Amino acid sequence: MPDRLRARLSSLSSHGFLSPDQWRRRVLFWTGAVIVGLAAVLFAQAADWAFAGFRAMASHGWWVPFLLTPATFALLSWLTQGALKATRGSGIPQAIAALKVEEDPFRERLLALRVAVGKMGLTLAALLGGASVGREGPTVHVGAGLLYSLGRRFGFDDPTSAGRFILAGSAAGLAAAFNTPLAGVVFAIEEMSGTFEHRMSGTLLTAVIIAGVVSLGILGNYSYFGIIAADLPLGRAWLAVLLTGVVGGLAGGLFARLIIPSARGFRGVMGRLRGRQPVVFAAACGLALVLLSLMSANGLYGTGYAQAQAILQGHSDTGPLFGVLKFLGNIASSWAGIPGGIFSPALAVGAGLGENVAHLLPGANTQAVVLLGMAAYLSGVTQAPLTASVISLELTANHAMALPILAACLLARAVSSVLCPVPVYKALANALIDAHEASKRDVSGSVAGQGEPGSTDDQDLHQNGAIRND
């Protein structure tokens, strides 16, 4: 064998395609993606069963939610006061924060295997109690935690490698949760990391594809909301783009503004109330959700998937106020601090608002306007227009609406940023990071003889001015 060829093979074995270390990493990514896909499918099925359980209990009388929902909110608030504190909220801010802070104790606290398992269990408990929450954000958290734990278990615990496992797990989780592989990739680029490292591209794509194939193999080739054959011809009908973009942006930006913790104004007052009596405050939020549900024909409980699908397919009896009421119900669930995401509930709000806008445009295709409302509101909440556009297109298997949806999402993002300058997931992640840094400073001050170390509690995020750009 020529020396040059031998040297080339040696180089490939040590650092390139044939490297044993690289192959071990790839096998772990592929195995982890399969696990994330299976977990997402199991989570989706269990979420449906949990909410069906709530519906069965609620069917025994109008009074059942008055007892069940506030009690569930209070119990979840109490359970998440200690070791399961990281399970609160949607889970996407935790994954983003862990990606930004390359410290093992911080990442372990947010993404440990017990947190991933607890996230699934407590989110299911929230749906069993009728909370207005989704499972997609928690699936992202679970995916990040599973791949992170798997990488650490097999020796890939350096900060850079761990970050790649977190990113791939997050993207695979979203792809499997919605059965939308392309949305998983866009989400990783736009929302999670903000960049796309060249060396990471193949690994990330492979993980997303594998997780998507697992979901596809078990659940079949389906669209989340069914196949929606709607279009929006260029012309007067495009007024719907302007209206849904502005309405979705304003409503989405207001929602994000209200759920981001602050030390000032109305949110500061709510944060202090929650900080003093978190369990009682959570029960009050549950009661508010029940009272709001009495004003809606089908209630505001659960993910809102069924209502959004009915509105989108044109046979809904939710009533004209569903979008506004679901908006308020989502705020009540978010303020309670219980585990659960905002993706599916946001799509339900957007569908309701889109239906309202459609009544103002009798010449436009109602399904098309509702779809625009869903995408625009999701973009307004997350300020991630590409992710919102791709999710909306993949959820409905509709490519004819690509341009109007993208236009509405970009407009909604611009309008939302006026009300909420910092995207909601980034702001919540910053709050976690700031609380972590404050805790480190307190510990350093204690070591230096300047006092006792302070505790980093989730309530502090609502009281200590953790959001830098508020």
Side-chain angles (χ1 to χ4, degrees):
M1 180 182 296
D3 291 342
R4 181 177 298 177
L5 179 58
R6 185 180 293 108
R8 179 59 177 166
L9 289 175
S10 177
S11 176
L12 286 173
S13 298
S14 300
H15 306 290
F17 183 75
L18 299 179
S19 167
D21 187 63
Q22 292 296 328
W23 270 103
R24 189 160 63 94
R25 187 195 306 270
R26 292 186 187 103
V27 170
L28 277 179
F29 269 113
W30 299 340
T31 304
V34 171
I35 294 173
V36 171
L38 292 172
V41 171
L42 174 63
F43 195 14
Q45 294 294 326
D48 290 341
W49 294 334
F51 187 59
F54 169 78
R55 295 286 296 272
M57 288 185 286
S59 66
H60 290 290
W62 61 268
W63 50 269
V64 174
F66 276 95
L67 299 177
L68 180 61
T69 302
T72 300
F73 277 45
L75 177 62
L76 290 174
S77 177
W78 178 74
L79 288 174
T80 55
Q81 295 296 316
L84 292 176
K85 191 182 301 181
T87 63
R88 291 173 174 172
S90 85
I92 294 177
Q94 287 89 332
I96 294 174
L99 198 60
K100 289 183 176 181
V101 178
E102 298 182 344
E103 298 178 15
D104 286 340
F106 181 71
R107 285 177 165 176
E108 182 69 15
R109 188 160 65 248
L110 295 181
L111 301 178
L113 197 56
R114 71 175 184 280
V115 173
V117 174
K119 188 74 169 186
M120 292 180 68
L122 295 180
T123 301
L124 294 176
L127 289 170
L128 185 62
S132 181
V133 296
R135 58 172 173 80
E136 291 77 20
T139 306
V140 171
H141 194 182
V142 169
L146 289 176
L147 250 70
Y148 170 74
S149 299
L150 187 66
R152 282 179 55 85
R153 173 66 179 80
F154 288 94
F156 292 99
D157 51 2
D158 63 280
T160 301
S161 294
R164 290 172 179 168
F165 276 91
I166 294 170
L167 182 60
S170 302
L174 186 77
F178 277 125
N179 199 19
T180 54
L182 182 57
V185 176
V186 175
F187 171 77
I189 299 170
E190 184 178 40
E191 191 69 77
M192 289 297 300
S193 67
T195 60
F196 198 42
E197 182 184 347
H198 176 69
R199 290 190 303 166
M200 183 62 188
S201 59
T203 303
L204 176 64
L205 289 170
T206 303
V208 168
I209 289 170
I210 290 175
V213 166
V214 170
S215 174
L216 184 67
I218 297 176
L219 300 178
N221 186 16
Y222 75 100
S223 298
Y224 198 75
F225 287 115
I227 298 176
I228 305 299
D231 61 357
L232 198 70
L234 189 63
R236 289 184 59 189
W238 265 58
L239 284 174
V241 173
L242 177 62
L243 288 177
T244 55
V246 172
V247 171
L250 288 173
L254 178 61
F255 177 82
R257 184 80 176 179
L258 288 173
I259 68 170
I260 292 174
S262 172
R264 297 178 296 179
F266 177 70
R267 292 173 296 159
V269 173
M270 301 304 291
R272 286 188 288 275
L273 289 174
R274 177 182 167 187
R276 293 191 186 105
Q277 294 289 338
V279 176
V280 174
F281 183 81
C285 289
L287 179 60
L289 175 62
V290 175
L291 293 173
L292 289 167
S293 291
L294 293 178
M295 294 184 279
S296 174
N298 295 322
L300 307 174
Y301 307 109
T303 64
Y305 162 75
Q307 293 95 326
Q309 185 181 46
I311 293 172
L312 195 55
Q313 295 180 352
H315 49 76
S316 169
D317 58 352
T318 54
L321 295 178
F322 173 75
V324 174
L325 292 174
K326 186 66 173 176
F327 173 92
L328 296 173
N330 293 347
I331 289 177
S333 296
S334 296
W335 277 353
I338 62 177
I342 61 176
F343 263 106
S344 289
L347 291 171
V349 173
L353 296 178
E355 185 179 40
N356 296 144
V357 172
H359 290 312
L360 303 177
L361 300 168
N365 185 306
T366 300
Q367 284 186 313
V369 179
V370 171
L371 183 54
L372 284 176
M374 292 168 58
Y377 180 74
L378 182 59
S379 177
V381 170
T382 63
Q383 294 190 24
L386 295 180
T387 300
S389 298
V390 173
I391 283 179
S392 301
L393 292 171
E394 288 193 285
L395 290 181
T396 56
N398 186 320
H399 302 290
M401 290 285 292
L403 284 179
I405 283 177
L406 183 58
C409 287
L410 289 172
L411 177 58
R413 191 258 183 262
V415 173
S416 174
S417 64
V418 176
L419 293 179
C420 185
V422 184
V424 62
Y425 290 136
K426 180 180 178 182
L428 294 172
N430 285 342
L432 291 169
I433 294 170
D434 286 347
H436 171 65
E437 295 296 330
S439 177
K440 287 169 57 178
R441 287 193 297 270
D442 288 342
V443 170
S444 298
S446 175
V447 171
Q450 298 176 4
E452 293 297 321
S455 63
T456 304
D457 196 304
D458 180 70
Q459 312 306 330
D460 297 338
L461 307 184
H462 293 76
Q463 301 179 48
N464 66 1
I467 304 302
R468 291 186 290 261
N469 297 308
D470 184 30

